[in-house]
Amino acid sequence: MEPWQKVGERPLYRGYRTITGRRYRSPEGELHEFDVKVEQPTAVVVALTPAGEVVLVREFRPGPEAVLLELPGGGIDEGEAPADAASRELLEETGYAGEVEPVGSMLDCAYSTRVRHVFAVREARCVARPSPGVGEHTEVALVSLGDFREHLRGGRLTDVGPGYLALDRLGLL
């Protein structure tokens, strides 16, 4: 299949998220415009304690208007290596640290520019108090590996793909 030819784009919205209208010409010559979220890359961490618990974060999410149990992670700063961002986010959000292992990268969705860089920590240890960023209100939760697998299947986690990718790489599915 041939890729479509990009013929232009225009800003549609700029706020916490940027939405761009991207116009493409299909191989048949038809013009189509898509709303695309222009987003920075992120780092996501599946951290396991020596006791085999998964380190998660309870946090309010405005989309579903609910407090969700999530994987630690966040945006990668300009010039920051994804592994460094993973370590920083894990420490800031949970107070846990450990050696981050790259697991892989994945696309966020078909209408986003975001790439999620996924990492695992096998021996995460609490080394500090969490220090979430401005506007973040989080609570650390440790769950068993079995409960985490159930959580992945339950549909109330925004990082299901990274969770499965990390568990697969660690041989824990």
Side-chain angles (χ1 to χ4, degrees):
M1 177 182 283
E2 293 181 41
W4 292 21
Q5 178 189 7
K6 185 176 174 182
V7 295
E9 64 180 59
R10 63 189 176 98
L12 298 177
Y13 175 78
R14 287 213 162 106
Y16 182 74
R17 299 268 189 261
T18 297
I19 308 294
T20 299
R22 289 192 177 169
R23 291 180 303 283
Y24 294 89
R25 184 177 314 281
S26 73
E28 295 80 29
E30 300 167 330
L31 290 175
H32 300 273
E33 182 171 280
F34 300 94
D35 296 351
V36 176
K37 297 182 293 180
V38 179
E39 301 175 293
Q40 72 186 85
T42 60
V44 181
V45 184
V46 174
L48 299 167
T49 67
E53 296 169 306
V54 180
V55 181
L56 298 177
V57 178
R58 276 192 185 84
E59 187 170 5
F60 176 76
R61 294 304 196 191
E65 297 183 324
V67 174
L68 300 179
L69 201 51
E70 301 274 66
L71 290 170
I76 299 171
D77 294 335
E78 186 74 31
E80 185 177 34
D84 293 338
S87 293
R88 175 181 51 77
E89 288 288 342
L90 179 63
L91 184 62
E92 285 175 2
E93 292 185 357
T94 69
Y96 279 75
E99 185 177 336
V100 295
E101 302 173 26
V103 169
S105 297
M106 60 193 323
L107 301 175
D108 188 52
C109 78
Y111 298 92
S112 173
T113 61
R114 172 166 290 151
V115 174
R116 291 179 172 185
H117 299 277
V118 184
F119 295 87
V121 175
R122 295 176 193 262
E123 297 283 325
R125 298 184 188 280
C126 187
V127 298
R129 294 187 64 118
S131 57
V134 175
E136 291 182 315
H137 301 281
T138 61
E139 180 181 292
V140 178
L142 302 178
V143 301
S144 71
L145 189 54
D147 286 347
F148 181 62
R149 287 188 198 110
E150 285 298 316
H151 189 50
L152 282 173
R153 290 188 284 269
R156 300 288 297 167
L157 175 71
T158 62
D159 293 317
V160 170
Y164 275 113
L165 188 64
L167 290 185
D168 183 51
R169 178 63 62 91
L170 295 171
L172 297 173
L173 274 181

